[in-house]
Structures are given as C-alpha cells and as structure tokens.
Amino acid sequence: SQTIHQWPATLVQPVGSPLSLECTVEGTSNPNLYWYRQAAGRGLQLLFYSVGIGQISSEVPQNLSASRPQDRQFILSSKKLLLSDSGFYLCAWTGLINEKLFFGSGTQLSVL
Amino acid sequence: KQEVTQIPAALSVPEGENLVLNCSFTDSAIYNLQWFRQDPGKGLTSLLLIQSSQREQTSGRLNASLDKSSGRSTLYIAASQPGDSATYLCAVDGGSRLTFGEGTQLTVNP
C-alpha cells in the first residue's frame, strides 16, 4: 500500500533562517506531488506541484521554492524565512487523473 | 477562476442527528469533487470522491451528492457520533489542481 511521510511535525524558526521540509511517498511510482499551506481557520492554498522529477510548477509568488530530486521525494525550501511564512504545510500526492488526493500529516511552522 | 464556498462555517449538533454540509462552486467544468475530513493539527483524509459524470457516492454513514449544473454538492452524515467531530472540506478538481473551500467545523455533542 501507498504511504506518505512528511517531517518534521513541528518547527520553530527565527526570521531570516533557512527552511527545508521533506516529503516522501512509498508504494507508488511517478506520483503527482503537491505542497499546500493552510493558514489558521482558512482553506488550503496550493504552493507548488510536480508531475515528474525536476518539473516544478509554482502557483503563488513567494519566499519559497520546491524541488523534486527523486521520483518520490518533494522538498520545500526557503533561504530566508519571513514572519508571513508561518502556517501549516501539507504535502500531498495523487496517481492518475481523477484519483483521490492523499495528504501527509503536516508540518506546523512558526517563524518568530 | 474557480471559487468554492462551504456553508455553514461551523455546526454543532447533538449525537444521533442526521446532518447536511453544503459546498458550492462557481465553474461547473470540473473533473471531480472530493470531500475531506481534517482533525485538529492533522492532515486531510479523503472521504469520498465523486466523478463529474456521477451523481452521488456512499461510504458507510456518509453520502455525497453532486449537481454539476448548479454548482452544488452536499455531504450527508447519518446518525452523527462524537467521533465525527472534525472540519470537513470540499475540493473541486479543474484539471491541474484542486480548489478547496474553507471548511465546515462540525461538533457532535454527546
């Protein structure tokens, strides 16, 4: 069966520090991968999605970047965090078109 | 641009009650609609997926309907239980990405 791993669960970082969040998927190949951000009490905002290794589409201009160095690995990064980067970050994957979207357990990022 | 709205934003019901959550969307050109459940501080769990050609899907006490022409979906929960307390989000798939509503926070009181 397929599983998705996302870490860390919680992260507190000072303003101006770098960020690296990692997500891996097991049990499937060539998944579509997504990074979402959820502000408190709000819906989900799509940040990046990837349909293959090295293929990244950015949805919202921001202080973040994403990379997909391996088929089942998706990384969210920042060189210098801003206060506004605080939020709940979720990685997700799906297989073929019209299949369910499966989420990781999320990372609560607090930038202080 | 697709917009998804969920009403009500919050709902509190006594245990055992049947309830309906509503989701509306502005662009009917969708591939599918999904309903998710989110517990506090957790990721989302997909409950039901309705293809654009389908009218409804059922899983246990949950039934989701889709009326694409009117841009509406409902999630019906039968015989609600305290364990159903969570935030329920709907999302529509327009092809390359899902657009999410802001969710309905459900509390089922024992």
Side-chain angles (χ1 to χ4, degrees):
Chain A
S1 64
Q2 303 90 353
T3 56
I4 179 169
H5 303 280
Q6 184 181 346
W7 67 93
T10 305
L11 192 59
V12 180
Q13 292 284 100
V15 170
S17 64
L19 172 73
S20 180
L21 302 180
E22 188 164 343
C23 172
T24 59
V25 180
E26 296 179 354
T28 187
S29 59
N30 198 31
N32 295 326
L33 297 171
Y34 305 83
W35 279 110
Y36 287 88
R37 178 169 58 199
Q38 185 177 35
R42 300 288 301 276
L44 274 71
Q45 179 187 37
L46 179 63
L47 303 176
F48 300 95
Y49 69 93
S50 171
V51 298
I53 296 175
Q55 301 179 57
I56 309 295
S57 295
S58 174
E59 290 293 303
V60 180
Q62 61 219 326
N63 187 40
L64 302 169
S65 62
S67 62
R68 185 170 177 173
Q70 300 181 42
D71 180 45
R72 291 169 289 176
Q73 184 185 28
F74 206 21
I75 298 172
L76 183 69
S77 303
S78 174
K79 293 182 178 178
K80 290 185 178 181
L81 285 168
L82 306 173
L83 288 173
S84 58
D85 292 323
S86 294
F88 192 51
Y89 288 82
L90 289 156
C91 180
W93 77 275
T94 189
L96 300 174
I97 292 174
N98 267 336
E99 290 189 355
K100 287 184 176 181
L101 188 63
F102 297 96
F103 282 84
S105 53
T107 296
Q108 183 64 53
L109 173 65
S110 298
V111 182
L112 305 177
Chain B
K1 178 185 174 185
Q2 179 73 270
E3 294 182 2
V4 180
T5 304
Q6 291 188 245
I7 295 174
L11 182 64
S12 182
V13 300
E15 181 177 5
E17 190 164 297
N18 302 324
L19 58 100
V20 174
L21 307 181
N22 296 291
C23 173
S24 61
F25 47 95
T26 55
D27 186 350
S28 62
I30 65 171
Y31 283 88
N32 62 59
L33 182 145
Q34 292 186 57
W35 281 93
F36 293 87
R37 169 185 172 140
Q38 185 177 29
D39 293 294
K42 304 294 184 181
L44 281 70
T45 300
S46 182
L47 299 173
L48 292 165
L49 181 150
I50 311 176
Q51 304 289 355
S52 62
S53 58
Q54 296 175 324
R55 297 288 299 215
E56 64 178 320
Q57 280 288 323
T58 299
S59 176
R61 295 183 292 109
L62 305 179
N63 177 277
S65 68
L66 174 64
D67 185 342
K68 200 172 67 165
S69 61
S70 67
R72 295 177 186 273
S73 175
T74 62
L75 179 66
Y76 174 83
I77 303 177
S80 59
Q81 303 171 358
D84 294 330
S85 298
T87 297
Y88 291 82
L89 297 95
C90 69
V92 295
D93 186 349
S96 60
R97 64 192 67 90
L98 269 67
T99 302
F100 283 81
E102 295 192 358
T104 294
Q105 186 173 357
L106 173 65
T107 302
V108 181
N109 301 300

